[in-house]
Amino acid sequence: MPRRSRVDPVAIAAVGLHGVAAVADLTALGMPSSTIARRVHAGHARRLLRGVVKEGPDEPTDDQRAAAALLYAGAGSVISGGEALRRHGLTDPNPGRRILVLVEAQRQRTSSAFVEIERTERLPTATITDDLAIAPLDRTVIDTARRQDRIDVVRAVLTEAVQKGRTTVARLAAELAAGSQRGSALPRRVLHDELGAGVRSVAEAWARELHAESDLPRVLWNPRLYDPAGTYIAQADAFFPDVGLAWEIDSVRHHFLLPDWDKTLRRRARMQAFGLVVAHTRPSRTRADRAAVIEELWGSYRLAASRPCPDLRVVVAS
């Protein structure tokens, strides 16, 4: 390839990623490092990280920031954490936080600017998304959860992945056990005590805490209900099997769209048609109006207990 006198898009495209290149790769094309430095100084190129530049002075895109993070970390590095979670189609709980990049334990590279480096003995095999090396989903979820210091954020990260069917509680628990134990206390608590019991949302975790204070009998979380012939009825948020009481946690966020609300009403009507008593609670009340909610649940429980318990087959969440 002929020598080039400036840091231009063609040269970056030859050795870079998303319009970003490592200075070392550009100099290997024959560009003097002094030329690159002059271009940066003149505003024709922009230095994103030590040894990483892009053509033009404009702010980097999300793809360019991610590409720069990988180029800075070096060959074989893998993006994990919230940035990878978003690229897996899940919610980044901390948008704007530094990009987590995993590198081999022997690599001498430190965190810098918008990049957080984690050296690991368990460098995962990357999946390629948008031409970027991304950690597998289970590793991404656990790496993200380990970096949170609020239990509701940990709950949101873990339950979203499970609720959307992207992974299982067992797979996440195995990943947590196999990896770094730094920051693992909250994820372990949520996985073992809550998701392991069938809880599948932050709101349900709040409801579970309330139930623990109520002295109400045993409850199952997210069981699937069938009639004796095997006909599917519904999946209740919570279910008291001894009396046939379903407890629905009616999230305003989930029911904001009319189709969601219609689906909820149909599920409710179907459970009632099979003889179930159905109680409803908004998530906010499980925290702000706990005594009243417990009293209401006891009332619904007594009502269900006064009626014949429906003959159902109950399949617990796994």
Side-chain angles (χ1 to χ4, degrees):
M1 182 176 292
R3 292 172 59 93
R4 298 184 183 274
S5 60
R6 65 190 189 90
V7 189
D8 62 20
V10 174
I12 289 180
V15 296
L17 188 62
H18 288 292
V20 179
V23 170
D25 292 333
L26 292 172
T27 56
L29 288 179
M31 295 182 188
S33 57
S34 58
T35 299
I36 299 171
R38 284 197 301 272
R39 294 281 295 170
V40 170
H41 182 73
H44 301 305
R46 180 169 183 155
R47 193 179 306 277
L48 301 183
L49 293 160
R50 186 172 68 251
V52 181
V53 296
K54 66 176 287 292
E55 175 68 9
D58 51 310
E59 289 291 328
T61 65
D62 290 342
D63 284 347
Q64 288 176 329
R65 282 167 51 90
L70 288 172
L71 290 169
Y72 169 77
S77 57
V78 180
I79 293 175
S80 188
E83 178 70 19
L85 201 64
R86 180 175 65 82
R87 293 177 183 276
H88 278 294
L90 299 175
T91 303
D92 180 356
N94 308 112
R97 179 176 282 191
R98 292 195 298 180
I99 297 172
L100 174 64
V101 183
L102 308 177
V103 301
E104 293 177 338
Q106 298 75 22
R107 179 164 298 169
Q108 297 302 310
R109 183 66 82 191
T110 59
S111 301
S112 177
F114 56 84
V115 179
E116 176 187 354
I117 297 292
E118 178 174 296
R119 294 193 293 273
T120 176
E121 298 283 356
R122 297 179 59 248
L123 188 66
T125 300
T127 61
I128 305 301
T129 303
D130 301 325
D131 295 325
L132 301 167
I134 304 299
L137 178 68
D138 292 343
R139 179 64 176 270
T140 293
V141 170
I142 293 302
D143 281 347
T144 305
R146 285 196 300 106
R147 283 166 169 75
Q148 311 306 316
D149 57 10
R150 291 188 296 133
I151 190 166
D152 280 349
V153 180
V154 175
R155 286 166 168 160
V157 170
L158 298 177
T159 58
E160 182 187 23
V162 174
Q163 181 68 15
K164 289 186 174 180
R166 302 293 302 280
T167 187
T168 66
V169 177
R171 281 168 47 186
L172 291 177
E175 176 61 43
L176 181 64
S180 170
Q181 297 306 293
R182 185 174 68 250
S184 65
L186 288 181
R188 185 179 301 108
R189 171 182 164 186
V190 172
L191 280 171
H192 294 168
D193 296 348
E194 297 178 359
L195 273 78
V199 168
R200 292 297 182 266
S201 71
V202 175
E204 290 173 8
W206 297 346
R208 182 177 179 274
E209 291 175 340
L210 180 143
H211 174 264
E213 298 177 6
S214 69
D215 292 327
L216 279 158
R218 180 178 67 105
V219 68
L220 303 175
W221 296 97
N222 283 290
R224 296 173 65 86
L225 308 178
Y226 299 83
D227 74 4
T231 301
Y232 175 69
I233 301 172
Q235 180 171 319
D237 292 338
F239 184 65
F240 294 85
D242 56 333
V243 296
L245 169 63
W247 182 20
E248 295 289 276
I249 314 302
D250 292 332
S251 170
V252 173
R253 178 180 178 183
H254 176 70
H255 298 140
F256 182 77
L257 297 177
L258 184 59
D260 291 332
W261 180 239
D262 286 344
K263 183 179 179 181
T264 296
L265 292 178
R266 289 195 300 271
R267 186 175 74 250
R268 178 187 307 174
R270 188 167 178 80
M271 286 191 288
Q272 290 172 335
F274 278 87
L276 296 171
V277 173
V278 184
H280 306 273
T281 304
R282 293 196 313 277
S284 60
R285 295 191 64 223
T286 64
R287 298 175 72 85
D289 202 11
R290 299 172 79 90
V293 171
I294 290 172
E295 183 177 354
E296 292 164 9
L297 278 174
W298 268 115
S300 296
Y301 184 89
R302 287 190 290 268
L303 173 62
S306 71
R307 303 165 57 174
C309 185
D311 185 12
L312 301 175
R313 182 165 66 90
V314 181
V315 178
V316 298
S318 59

